[in-house]
PDB file of all heavy atoms in Angstrom:
ATOM      1  N   LYS A  23       8.037  -0.287 -19.072  1.00  0.00           N
ATOM      2  CA  LYS A  23       7.610  -0.736 -20.393  1.00  0.00           C
ATOM      3  C   LYS A  23       7.736  -2.240 -20.469  1.00  0.00           C
ATOM      4  O   LYS A  23       8.830  -2.795 -20.387  1.00  0.00           O
ATOM      5  CB  LYS A  23       8.460  -0.066 -21.462  1.00  0.00           C
ATOM      6  CG  LYS A  23       7.973  -0.303 -22.848  1.00  0.00           C
ATOM      7  CD  LYS A  23       6.611   0.290 -23.029  1.00  0.00           C
ATOM      8  CE  LYS A  23       6.195   0.176 -24.464  1.00  0.00           C
ATOM      9  NZ  LYS A  23       4.858   0.622 -24.661  1.00  0.00           N
ATOM     10  N   GLY A  45      10.673  -6.811 -19.703  1.00  0.00           N
ATOM     11  CA  GLY A  45      11.041  -5.417 -19.916  1.00  0.00           C
ATOM     12  C   GLY A  45      11.481  -5.185 -21.350  1.00  0.00           C
ATOM     13  O   GLY A  45      12.110  -6.041 -21.966  1.00  0.00           O
ATOM     14  N   LEU A  46      11.138  -4.042 -21.877  1.00  0.00           N
ATOM     15  CA  LEU A  46      11.478  -3.697 -23.256  1.00  0.00           C
ATOM     16  C   LEU A  46      12.411  -2.490 -23.244  1.00  0.00           C
ATOM     17  O   LEU A  46      12.015  -1.392 -22.832  1.00  0.00           O
ATOM     18  CB  LEU A  46      10.209  -3.392 -24.049  1.00  0.00           C
ATOM     19  CG  LEU A  46      10.370  -3.069 -25.523  1.00  0.00           C
ATOM     20  CD1 LEU A  46      11.011  -4.243 -26.274  1.00  0.00           C
ATOM     21  CD2 LEU A  46       9.027  -2.731 -26.146  1.00  0.00           C
ATOM     22  N   SER A  47      13.640  -2.698 -23.674  1.00  0.00           N
ATOM     23  CA  SER A  47      14.621  -1.609 -23.667  1.00  0.00           C
ATOM     24  C   SER A  47      14.561  -0.807 -24.962  1.00  0.00           C
ATOM     25  O   SER A  47      14.039  -1.271 -25.977  1.00  0.00           O
ATOM     26  CB  SER A  47      16.031  -2.170 -23.468  1.00  0.00           C
ATOM     27  OG  SER A  47      16.407  -2.941 -24.586  1.00  0.00           O
ATOM     28  N   GLY A  48      15.096   0.400 -24.893  1.00  0.00           N
ATOM     29  CA  GLY A  48      15.227   1.238 -26.077  1.00  0.00           C
ATOM     30  C   GLY A  48      13.958   1.923 -26.532  1.00  0.00           C
ATOM     31  O   GLY A  48      13.882   2.397 -27.663  1.00  0.00           O
ATOM     32  N   VAL A  49      12.964   2.030 -25.660  1.00  0.00           N
ATOM     33  CA  VAL A  49      11.734   2.749 -25.998  1.00  0.00           C
ATOM     34  C   VAL A  49      11.870   4.148 -25.417  1.00  0.00           C
ATOM     35  O   VAL A  49      12.156   4.320 -24.233  1.00  0.00           O
ATOM     36  CB  VAL A  49      10.484   2.047 -25.423  1.00  0.00           C
ATOM     37  CG1 VAL A  49       9.233   2.816 -25.786  1.00  0.00           C
ATOM     38  CG2 VAL A  49      10.407   0.612 -25.912  1.00  0.00           C
ATOM     39  N   THR A  50      11.692   5.152 -26.265  1.00  0.00           N
ATOM     40  CA  THR A  50      11.825   6.535 -25.816  1.00  0.00           C
ATOM     41  C   THR A  50      10.459   7.137 -25.560  1.00  0.00           C
ATOM     42  O   THR A  50       9.555   7.020 -26.391  1.00  0.00           O
ATOM     43  CB  THR A  50      12.581   7.376 -26.866  1.00  0.00           C
ATOM     44  OG1 THR A  50      13.863   6.777 -27.089  1.00  0.00           O
ATOM     45  CG2 THR A  50      12.753   8.818 -26.411  1.00  0.00           C
ATOM     46  N   PHE A  51      10.340   7.769 -24.403  1.00  0.00           N
ATOM     47  CA  PHE A  51       9.135   8.495 -24.025  1.00  0.00           C
ATOM     48  C   PHE A  51       9.491   9.967 -23.876  1.00  0.00           C
ATOM     49  O   PHE A  51      10.593  10.305 -23.436  1.00  0.00           O
ATOM     50  CB  PHE A  51       8.574   7.975 -22.695  1.00  0.00           C
ATOM     51  CG  PHE A  51       7.921   6.636 -22.828  1.00  0.00           C
ATOM     52  CD1 PHE A  51       8.652   5.472 -22.679  1.00  0.00           C
ATOM     53  CD2 PHE A  51       6.565   6.545 -23.114  1.00  0.00           C
ATOM     54  CE1 PHE A  51       8.046   4.235 -22.810  1.00  0.00           C
ATOM     55  CE2 PHE A  51       5.954   5.307 -23.260  1.00  0.00           C
ATOM     56  CZ  PHE A  51       6.696   4.152 -23.096  1.00  0.00           C
ATOM     57  N   SER A 108      14.938   7.082 -22.492  1.00  0.00           N
ATOM     58  CA  SER A 108      14.727   5.741 -23.050  1.00  0.00           C
ATOM     59  C   SER A 108      14.839   4.674 -21.970  1.00  0.00           C
ATOM     60  O   SER A 108      15.663   4.786 -21.054  1.00  0.00           O
ATOM     61  CB  SER A 108      15.757   5.448 -24.141  1.00  0.00           C
ATOM     62  OG  SER A 108      15.593   6.357 -25.209  1.00  0.00           O
ATOM     63  N   THR A 109      14.028   3.647 -22.111  1.00  0.00           N
ATOM     64  CA  THR A 109      14.003   2.565 -21.137  1.00  0.00           C
ATOM     65  C   THR A 109      15.306   1.764 -21.149  1.00  0.00           C
ATOM     66  O   THR A 109      15.947   1.604 -22.186  1.00  0.00           O
ATOM     67  CB  THR A 109      12.816   1.621 -21.393  1.00  0.00           C
ATOM     68  OG1 THR A 109      12.886   1.127 -22.731  1.00  0.00           O
ATOM     69  CG2 THR A 109      11.488   2.330 -21.164  1.00  0.00           C
ATOM     70  N   GLU A 129       4.936   8.006 -26.363  1.00  0.00           N
ATOM     71  CA  GLU A 129       6.024   7.143 -26.818  1.00  0.00           C
ATOM     72  C   GLU A 129       6.489   7.717 -28.147  1.00  0.00           C
ATOM     73  O   GLU A 129       5.719   7.786 -29.102  1.00  0.00           O
ATOM     74  CB  GLU A 129       5.504   5.716 -26.989  1.00  0.00           C
ATOM     75  CG  GLU A 129       6.570   4.723 -27.354  1.00  0.00           C
ATOM     76  CD  GLU A 129       6.029   3.303 -27.414  1.00  0.00           C
ATOM     77  OE1 GLU A 129       5.387   2.857 -26.434  1.00  0.00           O
ATOM     78  OE2 GLU A 129       6.246   2.659 -28.458  1.00  0.00           O
ATOM     79  N   THR A 130       7.757   8.142 -28.208  1.00  0.00           N
ATOM     80  CA  THR A 130       8.229   8.831 -29.411  1.00  0.00           C
ATOM     81  C   THR A 130       9.149   7.993 -30.285  1.00  0.00           C
ATOM     82  O   THR A 130       9.403   8.373 -31.425  1.00  0.00           O
ATOM     83  CB  THR A 130       8.917  10.168 -29.033  1.00  0.00           C
ATOM     84  OG1 THR A 130       9.869   9.942 -27.988  1.00  0.00           O
ATOM     85  CG2 THR A 130       7.880  11.175 -28.552  1.00  0.00           C
ATOM     86  N   SER A 131       9.645   6.862 -29.784  1.00  0.00           N
ATOM     87  CA  SER A 131      10.343   5.907 -30.651  1.00  0.00           C
ATOM     88  C   SER A 131      10.411   4.564 -29.937  1.00  0.00           C
ATOM     89  O   SER A 131      10.360   4.501 -28.713  1.00  0.00           O
ATOM     90  CB  SER A 131      11.746   6.393 -31.041  1.00  0.00           C
ATOM     91  OG  SER A 131      12.642   6.293 -29.966  1.00  0.00           O
ATOM     92  N   ALA A 132      10.510   3.511 -30.734  1.00  0.00           N
ATOM     93  CA  ALA A 132      10.537   2.153 -30.192  1.00  0.00           C
ATOM     94  C   ALA A 132      11.322   1.260 -31.148  1.00  0.00           C
ATOM     95  O   ALA A 132      11.515   1.606 -32.315  1.00  0.00           O
ATOM     96  CB  ALA A 132       9.113   1.626 -30.026  1.00  0.00           C
ATOM     97  N   PRO A 133      11.753   0.094 -30.660  1.00  0.00           N
ATOM     98  CA  PRO A 133      12.428  -0.859 -31.552  1.00  0.00           C
ATOM     99  C   PRO A 133      11.542  -1.210 -32.748  1.00  0.00           C
ATOM    100  O   PRO A 133      10.314  -1.140 -32.672  1.00  0.00           O
ATOM    101  CB  PRO A 133      12.650  -2.083 -30.651  1.00  0.00           C
ATOM    102  CG  PRO A 133      12.686  -1.520 -29.259  1.00  0.00           C
ATOM    103  CD  PRO A 133      11.695  -0.385 -29.283  1.00  0.00           C
ATOM    104  N   ALA A 134      12.179  -1.611 -33.842  1.00  0.00           N
ATOM    105  CA  ALA A 134      11.469  -1.864 -35.093  1.00  0.00           C
ATOM    106  C   ALA A 134      10.435  -2.978 -35.009  1.00  0.00           C
ATOM    107  O   ALA A 134       9.480  -3.000 -35.783  1.00  0.00           O
ATOM    108  CB  ALA A 134      12.478  -2.190 -36.195  1.00  0.00           C
ATOM    109  N   ASP A 135      10.586  -3.913 -34.064  1.00  0.00           N
ATOM    110  CA  ASP A 135       9.646  -5.029 -34.005  1.00  0.00           C
ATOM    111  C   ASP A 135       8.395  -4.739 -33.163  1.00  0.00           C
ATOM    112  O   ASP A 135       7.583  -5.625 -32.926  1.00  0.00           O
ATOM    113  CB  ASP A 135      10.332  -6.306 -33.506  1.00  0.00           C
ATOM    114  CG  ASP A 135      10.945  -6.162 -32.132  1.00  0.00           C
ATOM    115  OD1 ASP A 135      11.058  -5.022 -31.632  1.00  0.00           O
ATOM    116  OD2 ASP A 135      11.341  -7.190 -31.547  1.00  0.00           O
ATOM    117  N   ILE A 136       8.220  -3.497 -32.772  1.00  0.00           N
ATOM    118  CA  ILE A 136       7.003  -3.119 -32.041  1.00  0.00           C
ATOM    119  C   ILE A 136       5.930  -2.794 -33.069  1.00  0.00           C
ATOM    120  O   ILE A 136       6.122  -1.961 -33.954  1.00  0.00           O
ATOM    121  CB  ILE A 136       7.262  -1.919 -31.113  1.00  0.00           C
ATOM    122  CG1 ILE A 136       8.256  -2.314 -30.024  1.00  0.00           C
ATOM    123  CG2 ILE A 136       5.976  -1.401 -30.502  1.00  0.00           C
ATOM    124  CD1 ILE A 136       7.809  -3.469 -29.166  1.00  0.00           C
ATOM    125  N   VAL A 137       4.799  -3.457 -32.959  1.00  0.00           N
ATOM    126  CA  VAL A 137       3.718  -3.322 -33.931  1.00  0.00           C
ATOM    127  C   VAL A 137       3.135  -1.915 -33.935  1.00  0.00           C
ATOM    128  O   VAL A 137       2.937  -1.317 -34.975  1.00  0.00           O
ATOM    129  CB  VAL A 137       2.611  -4.370 -33.658  1.00  0.00           C
ATOM    130  CG1 VAL A 137       1.441  -4.193 -34.607  1.00  0.00           C
ATOM    131  CG2 VAL A 137       3.169  -5.763 -33.752  1.00  0.00           C
ATOM    132  N   ALA A 138       2.847  -1.374 -32.756  1.00  0.00           N
ATOM    133  CA  ALA A 138       2.277  -0.030 -32.647  1.00  0.00           C
ATOM    134  C   ALA A 138       2.712   0.559 -31.310  1.00  0.00           C
ATOM    135  O   ALA A 138       2.831  -0.164 -30.321  1.00  0.00           O
ATOM    136  CB  ALA A 138       0.748  -0.089 -32.712  1.00  0.00           C
ATOM    137  N   PRO A 139       2.955   1.868 -31.254  1.00  0.00           N
ATOM    138  CA  PRO A 139       3.340   2.470 -29.978  1.00  0.00           C
ATOM    139  C   PRO A 139       2.174   2.454 -28.992  1.00  0.00           C
ATOM    140  O   PRO A 139       1.013   2.344 -29.388  1.00  0.00           O
ATOM    141  CB  PRO A 139       3.705   3.910 -30.366  1.00  0.00           C
ATOM    142  CG  PRO A 139       2.955   4.164 -31.627  1.00  0.00           C
ATOM    143  CD  PRO A 139       2.851   2.843 -32.331  1.00  0.00           C
ATOM    144  N   ASN A 170       2.706  -2.696 -25.038  1.00  0.00           N
ATOM    145  CA  ASN A 170       3.041  -2.914 -26.448  1.00  0.00           C
ATOM    146  C   ASN A 170       2.983  -4.397 -26.720  1.00  0.00           C
ATOM    147  O   ASN A 170       3.053  -5.210 -25.810  1.00  0.00           O
ATOM    148  CB  ASN A 170       4.473  -2.488 -26.787  1.00  0.00           C
ATOM    149  CG  ASN A 170       4.636  -1.041 -27.116  1.00  0.00           C
ATOM    150  OD1 ASN A 170       5.282  -0.325 -26.398  1.00  0.00           O
ATOM    151  ND2 ASN A 170       4.046  -0.596 -28.211  1.00  0.00           N
ATOM    152  N   GLN A 171       2.941  -4.742 -27.977  1.00  0.00           N
ATOM    153  CA  GLN A 171       3.126  -6.128 -28.393  1.00  0.00           C
ATOM    154  C   GLN A 171       4.169  -6.148 -29.497  1.00  0.00           C
ATOM    155  O   GLN A 171       4.153  -5.306 -30.385  1.00  0.00           O
ATOM    156  CB  GLN A 171       1.814  -6.741 -28.907  1.00  0.00           C
ATOM    157  CG  GLN A 171       0.775  -6.958 -27.826  1.00  0.00           C
ATOM    158  CD  GLN A 171       1.229  -7.962 -26.774  1.00  0.00           C
ATOM    159  OE1 GLN A 171       1.897  -8.938 -27.068  1.00  0.00           O
ATOM    160  NE2 GLN A 171       0.870  -7.697 -25.533  1.00  0.00           N
ATOM    161  N   LYS A 172       5.073  -7.126 -29.413  1.00  0.00           N
ATOM    162  CA  LYS A 172       6.069  -7.289 -30.465  1.00  0.00           C
ATOM    163  C   LYS A 172       5.450  -8.036 -31.631  1.00  0.00           C
ATOM    164  O   LYS A 172       4.563  -8.861 -31.453  1.00  0.00           O
ATOM    165  CB  LYS A 172       7.265  -8.106 -29.959  1.00  0.00           C
ATOM    166  CG  LYS A 172       8.266  -7.323 -29.179  1.00  0.00           C
ATOM    167  CD  LYS A 172       9.478  -8.197 -28.903  1.00  0.00           C
ATOM    168  CE  LYS A 172      10.577  -7.412 -28.259  1.00  0.00           C
ATOM    169  NZ  LYS A 172      11.760  -8.244 -28.012  1.00  0.00           N
ATOM    170  N   GLN A 173       5.974  -7.751 -32.813  1.00  0.00           N
ATOM    171  CA  GLN A 173       5.557  -8.485 -34.001  1.00  0.00           C
ATOM    172  C   GLN A 173       6.233  -9.845 -33.958  1.00  0.00           C
ATOM    173  O   GLN A 173       7.419  -9.958 -33.637  1.00  0.00           O
ATOM    174  CB  GLN A 173       5.990  -7.722 -35.253  1.00  0.00           C
ATOM    175  CG  GLN A 173       5.582  -8.359 -36.543  1.00  0.00           C
ATOM    176  CD  GLN A 173       5.975  -7.470 -37.714  1.00  0.00           C
ATOM    177  OE1 GLN A 173       6.801  -6.596 -37.603  1.00  0.00           O
ATOM    178  NE2 GLN A 173       5.371  -7.722 -38.843  1.00  0.00           N
TER     179      GLN A 173
END
Side-chain angles (χ1 to χ4, degrees):
K23 189 63 174 175
L46 182 60
S47 67
V49 180
T50 302
F51 287 89
S108 297
T109 56
E129 184 176 308
T130 49
S131 74
D135 59 348
I136 295 301
V137 177
N170 275 114
Q171 291 297 324
K172 278 188 174 181
Q173 182 176 18

